[in-house]
Every structure is written in structure tokens, then in C-alpha cells.
Amino acid sequence: MLKNTNGNSSYTDRSFMFRMVAFSEKHRYMIIVITILITVFLGYFATKIKIESSVRDLLPRNSKIVKLTEKYGGALNNTDFLVLAFEARGKLTLKKTKVLYKTIKSIESLPDVHESINPFNIVTFRKDGIRLKFTTLAKDSKPPQNEKDFKIFLNRLETDQIAKNLVISGDKTTLAVLFPVDSGVDYEQLLQSVRKILKGIQISFGTYIAGQFPLDETTSKYLANDVPRFLILAMIVILLVYYFGFKTVRAVILPITTVSLGTLWTAGIMSLLGFKLTVVSMMTPPLVLTLGSSYSIHVLNQYYREATLKNNKIKWIAESVTHINKTIMMAALTTVIGFFSLISAHIRQIREFGIATSMGIIFCALLSLFFFPAVLSLLPPPTLKQKKRVTEGSVTRLLGRIGKNIIHWRIFILIGVVVIIALFFVSIKHVEYQTDFTKYYKKKEKAINDNLFVVRKFGGYIYGYITLSGPKGKNNYFLGPKVLKKVSAFESRLRKDHDIAYISSFVTYLELMNKTMTGRYEIPKNRGMILLLSRYFKALAATSQGSSVIGTVLHKNFNKLTIAIRIYNSDTKSFMLEQRFKTFSAQLTRDEKDTLGPEIRTELWGNNLSAFYLSETLAHDQVTSLLVSALLIFLITSLAFRSFLFGLFALIPMTVGIMVNFICMYILKIPLDVVTITFSSVAIGVGVDTSIHLIIQFNKQRRAKNSDPHKILVNTLQIAGRPILLTTLSLVSGLLVLAFSSFTPIMFFGILVSLVLFTTAIGAIIVLPVFLSFFIRTGKP
């Protein structure tokens, strides 16, 4: 049996872990070759990883609204809209309308783009004798050819009720064109082609491109730029930490090689599993690179602490790794639990982020325990000077002084903890959820500005749909005059709501057609006229405008009606956000009860409406992942330490760190969103690592039959505190590179995780020893 430099009994040669590490050292060339082969294999797939840039895809897919959208959406589920707005430079003229028409046709000729809804082809009605005739605002859907026709077209365009806020803004200064585009199209190529076409119209019009495509393009651009930048910056920071921590070449090159391999393996396994690089999972590579470095620091610290000048390197290195393996394995396990708890999230990208990062942590831990020692065994032992830098350096001496005074300071430290708890309960109530995607960017991007311009001019492009269902088995229920009058009364309430910019429905068109025929804007009094007009409505639905705008509101048997509404925040002239939507939805429910009666059932749905329930989803996911990870970590640490009390103690620094974070979030006005919500799970998984290391060393010191409580704490902090500080410095510095992200959620995530890991480390070095000091006993517990 060997004896290490700390005076702790080592594991015997029969230890399973010792034999595993000794095997990897003895067969070091085989281990290195296997590592290279795995790297080549997974590295190939890492180059194939794809980018998923849609912010809309971050919405939860299992909500009631999503299911209703899949049920009623029809073609909408496979179609996106590219919205172009044209603001005339000066007065709109005949020449400019011809230029606009030519531009529209050029864009329609692009692959995957269908016939647009534009100012020329909007279908309206006129009376032709005793018949109702469909006509377009422009004759034959083409631009006018002379000034007389132009004036007629312009008058129709500015006065037509269907065109208002659909193809012409309420202030009559801007025209809009809606291009239906197949879902899954190569939007980057499409937008590139569109911009090339729009160059020819810049003299006549200011042009604005809105919709999901330009947002996805901007996101994709930043994803492609941010990930390599994060990796390079994190690598530089980690290299500096290793150098100043150990000041040897091997302490720089080997750890960075180990975590780089782990990061590359992670990217490869993500590709193999079909995971894409998203706004959330873009954090995985820098996180694995940074968090994985902590295991190398623990191995290095123990390697130098137990360094010997004797030639039996295999036994010595195996012993040093065996002494630290429990810390590494428990730390890796708790970190994996923290990330893996995210599989309970409703948002797919968060689940994939948790799984991928968990696997990356496992890769780094295994490489640190086997590949790292195999390479170390090829190198000469450290010098005595290098060994003393670890065992007797300035950091070690500082930690010794802290250990000597912990017992004297513990009342003041406990008071500080109580103050933090009180401030936490005050702050937690005021932390907000961010669901406004326009705030996801650090600076105003053209894609954001263009979208906001369209919202200001047209009330945006966010549609909601209200499907009304009559009693079961009653076909043509919504062709009855009395029923339609109820629906008309409901729509009248909707029109009074300033947050509704546009309404399209069977009743709206029915009243317009009746006005054209009789001069009265109302539901026809007899069923025969209703049946006649309903046939016209079906014919209208077959047009390009109808299939895109009213096709969804048409139901074959008229046992259902769907009202399409476009909503925005009329006060701020911006997108409607969650709190505003809740107020809007509550008013909608009251209007339904007041006008429709008990027979008619209503259902609200739409592709984009899930965003309005995002904070509820985020809050649920946060609580679930926190409880699951905290409970599992408590059980694992309790079993490992054979003490429920020590299991609770392990959670103390992490809990204090999370509380401090929420206090800072309240003070600095940092919101929770689809990215920052994951910081708690990261904090639980990673933050508890420091506690585990300290408690393991604390138990070793108690078993060393040391009767002096101060000496126990001094030895504990001097041996465990140094790698804790180096690890924290590496993690905090590496994760702070996320603050350079182009996305504010990623930036805040980097700041929050760095802060929580820093406060957790301070808690482990100062707060945790206070609690441990109350339970110091000599001998075995």
C-alpha cells in the first residue's frame, strides 16, 4: 500500500479504478490510437452539423394551441409568407405602379414562390344588373395604362375595405405584397434573389422585407459567426488559466487538447443524433469546452501534489488519478444530472441542449480519467519547484488563513446568508419573462426594423384564428340568419378592439356582398340570399387571394366558421406581447359570452400564438428541472457520503449562488427567456461540484485522526480549495466569452452562469465550511 503526500491512505493495487487507470497507462499507445480513431469518426460528422435558425421554432409544440393549429390550419401549416412593404418616394404615380408590378412578377417567378396578394389582384365586388360580379382593383390584375385608369385604380385602392391594412396601409402611404412561400425553402437563397430584384426599385420606393425569413437569416448569420468566436475566445482564456495556475507546458497543452477532443466528439454526436445548432444549443460547444476543463484541473492538481521523482510513474500517476476519481466522477454525474433534467422541458431545442451537453461532459470526464493519464505517463515527472507551486503557493497559503478563521467568522457568515435569503424572496417576485423576440438582438438589425415598420403601418402579420363550432350534427348551421346575426354582433365587438388590425371572415364578406347588392351593410334577412352569397364566397375562395387569406376560414358544411384576425399592440405600434395578449384574450372571452350564446363553442389558434403562453411554459420547465435535478443530486450525494445531512450540505453553496443570481437579475433587470431559464439547471449540476470536492476532502481530514477543528478546515481548504478556485476561474472566464454574443439571451446566460459559479465557489470556500464546522468529530462519522 502506498502513502500520498497528504498523509491519506491510498487505494490498494486491487482498486478497480486503479487497475483501469494503470491499464490505460500501460497500454497508452493503444488508448491514444483509439482516441484518434474516435476523433476522426466523430470529427467527420461534426462537419455535417446543420443550423436551425428559426426563432419561431423555439415555441413549445405540444400546447393546446399547436394541436388546434394542426387540426384546422390546413395549407397554413405548410406555407410561410414573405411580406414586402413599398413606401413610395414622393407621390405614387402611374410610372411607379408599373415598376412595382414588374417587380412583383419577377419575385413570383422565383422557385417555391406562389402568386402573391398585391394591390393589383385584390378581389372586390360590383353589381352587374341583378348579379354580383367579382372584379380586381386593377383591371385584369394589371397596372393601369393611362392616367385616367390610374386615378380610378388609386381611388378603389384607397377606399376598398378589403384592401385596407392588407395591401395598403391605414395612412395610405405604403403598399404591401404578401408572397406565399413553401415551408422548408432555402430562405437565404430566396432573400438573396429578392434583394437583387429590389435593387431596381430603390429609386421609386423604400423597400422593407418582413416575416419569418429575414429573422431566420439574421439568426443563422449570428449562429455561424458566434460559435467559432466563442470557442476561440474560451480556448484562449482557458489556456491562460492553465498557464498561470501551473506554469508548465504540459499543464497548458494536454488539458486544452483533452477538452477540445471532448467538444469535437460532442459536435459529432449531435450530428449523428440529428440535433441541429440552434439559438439554445449554440452554447453547447463553449460550455463543454469550459466545463470539461475542470476535470483536467483536478487531475493536474492531484498529479502535481502527489508528484514523485521515483521512476515508477505508472503506479504513482494511477494512484494520484485514483485519489481524485471520486471527485471527478461525482462532479461529472451531478453536472450531467443538472443538464439532463432539461429533458423535461416542453421546448425541443432545450431538451436537445441538455442531452448534448450531458454527453459532452461525460466525454470530457472519461478523457480526463484515461486519455489524459496515458499521455502524462509518456512525460518526465514534474520538478520539485513545480510540485511546491501547488502544495505551498500563495493561493494555498491564503486558503489556509481562511480555514483558520472560519470558526471565528461563522456567526457573521450565517447572518450574511440570512440576508441573502431575505433579499431573494423579495427579488424573485419581480423577475420578468422575456417573450419579445425583437429583444433577442443586441443591436437593431434591419430585419427587426423592417418587421417593426410593417407592424406600424399595417398592424403586423401575426394572425390568430377563432373557430366557431355549432351543435354536433347540424350541417349548414352557420347559414341561418339568426345565427349569423350573433356572429356579426361578435365581429362588431372585435372591430372596436384597436389591437385588431384586420378581420377576414365569412360574415365580413357576406355583409360586404350584401351591401354591394342591396346597399345595406348587414346580414341578409332571408336564407335564400345567404345561400346565394355563400356560393359566391366559395368561388372567391378559389382565387389566389381566397386560398391564402380566406381559404382557411371556409368550412365545407358550414357547421363551423373561422374568423381570421391580425393582432398587434396598438398603443406601442409594435408586436403584441404576452401580458397584452392575456388582457386581449380575456376581453375576447367576455365578448363571446355576451354575443354568441351557449350553443356556439369557440377555439383560438394560430401558428404564432404559442409565443403568448411561453412564460407559463418557461416557468413550468424551470420549476420541474430544478426540482428533478436538485432531488436527484441530493439523493446521489447522500448515498455517496452515506449521510443525508452531507447531501443537504452539498446543496448549500449552489442554493446561495442561485439566490444571489436572482437578486442580481432583479437589480440589473435581466429577464428569463428560453435561454437564460437554463442557468438554474447548469448551476445545480456544475455548482455542486465544488461542494463535493470540499466534502470529500473534509471527510478525509476527519478520518486522519486530527483532533484540531481549525487544522481540519485548514487542510481541507488548502488541498481542495486550490483546484476549486482554479476550476472556478477557468469556468467563469470561459463562460464570460458568451457576453460577446450577438443575442442578448446568450449574453445574459454567460453573465448569469459565470456569476452563479463564482458565488457558488465562494459559498463552498466560506459558507459550507461554517456548516461543516458544527459537525466536526474526530475519527469516522
Side-chain angles (χ1 to χ4, degrees):
M1 185 178 290
L2 298 176
K3 196 107 168 175
N4 68 13
T5 54
N6 306 322
N8 297 323
S9 294
S10 69
Y11 292 76
T12 67
D13 289 7
R14 301 174 105 183
S15 162
F16 172 76
M17 192 64 198
F18 176 88
R19 293 198 303 272
M20 290 291 292
V21 178
F23 176 85
S24 67
E25 292 179 70
K26 185 177 180 180
H27 301 88
R28 47 187 174 269
Y29 294 110
M30 182 184 72
I31 295 294
I32 293 171
V33 169
I34 291 174
T35 302
I36 292 172
L37 291 175
I38 294 174
T39 301
V40 171
F41 175 74
L42 291 178
Y44 168 77
F45 286 100
T47 62
K48 305 295 181 182
I49 194 167
K50 297 180 180 179
I51 292 176
E52 181 183 282
S53 55
S54 177
V55 176
R56 183 178 60 189
D57 287 341
L58 293 174
L59 302 179
R61 306 307 300 169
N62 57 345
S63 66
K64 180 182 177 182
I65 281 187
V66 172
K67 292 176 181 177
L68 287 173
T69 303
E70 292 172 350
K71 177 181 178 181
Y72 294 125
L76 282 178
N77 293 323
N78 300 310
T79 305
D80 285 305
F81 281 93
L82 178 65
V83 183
L84 299 186
F86 300 87
E87 187 176 35
R89 300 189 190 281
K91 191 176 180 181
L92 184 65
T93 63
L94 174 62
K95 182 179 179 180
K96 289 177 182 177
T97 57
K98 291 181 178 180
V99 171
L100 177 61
Y101 179 80
K102 183 179 178 181
T103 301
I104 292 170
K105 289 303 172 183
S106 296
I107 295 174
E108 285 180 348
S109 67
L110 296 174
D112 303 306
V113 179
H114 302 285
E115 185 180 358
S116 66
I117 303 165
N118 61 67
F120 304 103
N121 68 359
I122 283 290
V123 178
T124 186
F125 328 104
R126 68 181 178 87
K127 190 175 181 181
D128 185 15
I130 60 172
R131 300 180 62 185
L132 186 70
K133 186 176 181 179
F134 292 135
T135 183
T136 53
L137 291 182
K139 186 179 180 180
D140 298 325
S141 301
K142 294 181 179 179
Q145 298 301 308
N146 54 61
E147 288 294 337
K148 180 182 177 181
D149 288 345
F150 171 70
K151 289 181 180 179
I152 294 172
F153 163 71
L154 193 59
N155 180 64
R156 288 179 177 176
L157 182 63
E158 292 178 345
T159 58
D160 189 82
Q161 188 171 339
I162 296 173
K164 183 180 178 182
N165 278 342
L166 181 63
V167 294
I168 185 170
S169 60
D171 61 7
K172 303 176 183 179
T173 63
T174 308
L175 304 179
V177 182
L178 287 73
F179 294 92
V181 181
D182 293 335
S183 296
V185 67
D186 183 350
Y187 57 83
E188 292 183 346
Q189 181 62 47
L190 173 63
L191 290 174
Q192 186 179 350
S193 300
V194 168
R195 291 191 182 102
K196 187 176 180 180
I197 293 171
L198 292 179
K199 282 183 179 179
I201 202 174
Q202 296 300 321
I203 296 175
S204 302
F205 294 93
T207 57
Y208 304 85
I209 306 176
Q212 191 64 39
F213 291 140
L215 295 174
D216 289 351
E217 181 192 43
T218 303
T219 306
S220 178
K221 178 179 68 176
Y222 284 122
L223 281 175
N225 292 337
D226 278 0
V227 172
R229 185 171 62 193
F230 291 161
L231 291 175
I232 292 170
L233 287 174
M235 198 172 293
I236 292 172
V237 168
I238 292 170
L239 285 171
L240 291 174
V241 171
Y242 280 133
Y243 176 74
F244 287 111
F246 299 98
K247 294 186 178 178
T248 62
V249 175
R250 75 185 70 182
V252 174
I253 302 300
L254 293 184
I256 203 66
T257 300
T258 302
V259 293
S260 296
L261 291 175
T263 304
L264 187 63
W265 290 13
T266 304
I269 207 71
M270 286 177 68
S271 181
L272 279 173
L273 292 174
F275 294 175
K276 296 178 182 179
L277 207 58
T278 66
V279 174
V280 181
S281 64
M282 69 183 290
M283 298 183 298
T284 293
L287 271 176
V288 172
L289 186 73
T290 305
L291 299 179
S293 68
S294 64
Y295 309 126
S296 296
I297 288 178
H298 284 302
V299 171
L300 274 176
N301 193 76
Q302 201 69 19
Y303 167 79
Y304 282 109
R305 180 169 286 278
E306 299 190 22
T308 176
L309 301 180
K310 295 179 181 179
N311 293 325
N312 192 358
K313 287 191 298 181
I314 290 181
K315 202 167 188 178
W316 150 55
I317 294 175
E319 283 289 345
S320 64
V321 175
T322 303
H323 289 147
I324 201 65
N325 89 88
K326 184 178 181 180
T327 298
I328 292 176
M329 292 178 71
M330 284 189 63
L333 180 60
T334 54
T335 302
V336 167
I337 288 172
F339 283 107
F340 210 73
S341 67
L342 295 174
I343 63 170
S344 62
H346 288 82
I347 300 172
R348 172 181 56 82
Q349 288 84 346
I350 292 180
R351 294 196 299 271
E352 291 180 358
F353 164 69
I355 294 170
T357 310
S358 297
M359 298 187 74
I361 296 302
I362 293 172
F363 290 151
C364 287
L366 292 175
L367 285 165
S368 296
L369 288 173
F370 300 106
F371 169 76
F372 197 34
V375 179
L376 282 176
S377 67
L378 295 171
L379 304 175
T383 64
L384 184 61
K385 181 180 179 181
Q386 292 168 345
K387 175 183 172 71
K388 285 186 176 181
R389 185 178 293 118
V390 173
T391 58
E392 302 174 12
S394 57
V395 174
T396 303
R397 293 195 299 271
L398 172 63
L399 290 166
R401 286 196 292 270
I402 292 174
K404 289 180 182 178
N405 292 285
I406 284 292
I407 294 177
H408 299 301
W409 298 341
R410 60 187 180 187
I411 297 301
F412 299 103
I413 294 171
L414 289 174
I415 291 173
V417 171
V418 171
V419 171
I420 289 172
I421 293 172
L423 291 175
F424 164 75
F425 282 107
V426 172
S427 304
I428 188 68
K429 300 176 183 178
H430 302 285
V431 175
E432 298 179 348
Y433 290 90
Q434 179 61 270
T435 57
D436 182 2
F437 70 89
T438 64
K439 299 294 192 299
Y440 284 6
Y441 302 86
K442 287 177 68 174
K443 55 185 179 180
K444 289 292 183 182
E445 294 289 338
K446 189 177 188 308
I448 298 296
N449 289 330
D450 284 8
N451 273 275
L452 291 175
F453 176 84
V454 170
V455 173
R456 288 195 302 272
K457 290 292 184 177
F458 296 90
Y461 52 85
I462 304 299
Y463 275 91
Y465 300 88
I466 308 167
T467 294
L468 313 180
S469 300
K472 289 184 178 180
K474 288 190 177 182
N475 289 341
N476 297 322
Y477 177 78
F478 285 103
L479 291 179
K482 291 183 180 180
V483 175
L484 287 174
K485 284 182 180 180
K486 289 183 180 180
V487 179
S488 178
F490 175 59
E491 289 192 16
S492 295
R493 291 280 191 97
L494 296 181
R495 289 190 184 91
K496 293 178 182 178
D497 192 326
H498 298 299
D499 285 351
I500 298 178
Y502 193 79
I503 298 177
S504 176
S505 72
F506 172 66
V507 168
T508 300
Y509 279 88
L510 190 65
E511 290 174 333
L512 285 172
M513 288 187 284
N514 188 57
K515 181 182 179 181
T516 303
M517 293 293 290
T518 67
R520 294 187 296 273
Y521 187 81
E522 62 182 13
I523 299 295
K525 292 184 172 58
N526 64 79
R527 190 179 178 89
M529 178 63 75
I530 293 172
L531 291 173
L532 174 66
L533 295 180
S534 69
R535 286 195 287 270
Y536 282 117
F537 184 76
K538 287 181 179 180
L540 179 60
T543 66
S544 61
Q545 172 192 341
S547 62
S548 297
V549 179
I550 68 173
T552 304
V553 308
L554 179 64
H555 296 268
K556 292 181 180 179
N557 298 322
F558 284 96
N559 60 340
K560 295 180 186 293
L561 281 186
T562 294
I563 304 169
I565 57 175
R566 195 165 70 232
I567 56 178
Y568 76 124
N569 187 325
S570 58
D571 290 339
T572 62
K573 303 298 181 184
S574 184
F575 290 99
M576 181 179 285
L577 300 181
E578 187 169 350
Q579 194 55 48
R580 182 86 170 198
F581 178 77
K582 288 180 179 178
T583 303
F584 168 82
S585 184
Q587 182 60 48
L588 196 64
T589 301
R590 289 193 290 270
D591 291 342
E592 290 166 358
K593 289 180 179 179
D594 292 344
T595 58
L596 297 177
E599 266 196 348
I600 300 175
R601 183 170 55 89
T602 63
E603 294 171 305
L604 179 65
W605 55 276
N607 273 322
N608 295 293
L609 298 190
S610 292
F612 298 125
Y613 298 90
L614 190 55
S615 71
E616 294 177 9
T617 303
L618 293 177
H620 175 272
D621 288 350
Q622 184 186 45
V623 172
T624 302
S625 63
L626 274 173
L627 291 176
V628 170
S629 55
L631 178 61
L632 288 176
I633 289 172
F634 166 70
L635 292 175
I636 288 171
T637 51
S638 297
L639 289 172
F641 296 135
R642 298 179 183 178
S643 167
F644 285 116
L645 191 60
F646 279 168
L648 285 173
F649 283 176
L651 300 177
I652 290 174
M654 171 271 300
T655 304
V656 172
I658 291 177
M659 287 182 173
V660 171
N661 254 39
F662 276 104
I663 294 169
C664 292
M665 290 177 72
Y666 168 59
I667 295 172
L668 301 176
K669 304 298 181 185
I670 298 176
L672 285 170
D673 52 48
V674 292
V675 177
T676 55
I677 194 172
T678 62
F679 94 86
S680 302
S681 295
V682 176
I684 288 180
V686 181
V688 80
D689 295 357
T690 55
S691 302
I692 290 171
H693 195 186
L694 197 84
I695 293 174
I696 288 174
Q697 191 56 234
F698 175 77
N699 282 334
K700 286 182 180 180
Q701 294 302 318
R702 286 201 306 160
R703 295 189 186 102
K705 296 185 179 180
N706 192 336
S707 60
D708 184 356
H710 295 278
K711 188 65 175 176
I712 292 175
L713 293 177
V714 168
N715 288 348
T716 298
L717 287 175
Q718 284 185 326
I719 296 171
R722 189 177 191 277
I724 286 175
L725 288 180
L726 282 177
T727 297
T728 302
L729 179 60
S730 173
L731 296 179
V732 170
S733 303
L735 290 171
L736 274 177
V737 304
L738 297 176
F740 295 98
S741 174
S742 305
F743 298 100
T744 51
I746 302 293
M747 177 188 70
F748 287 142
F749 175 84
I751 294 171
L752 290 174
V753 174
S754 298
L755 176 62
V756 77
L757 294 182
F758 173 76
T759 52
T760 297
I762 298 301
I765 291 173
I766 296 177
V767 178
L768 180 56
V770 168
F771 287 88
L772 294 175
S773 70
F774 287 107
F775 297 91
I776 292 178
R777 298 287 187 273
T778 58
K780 294 185 178 181

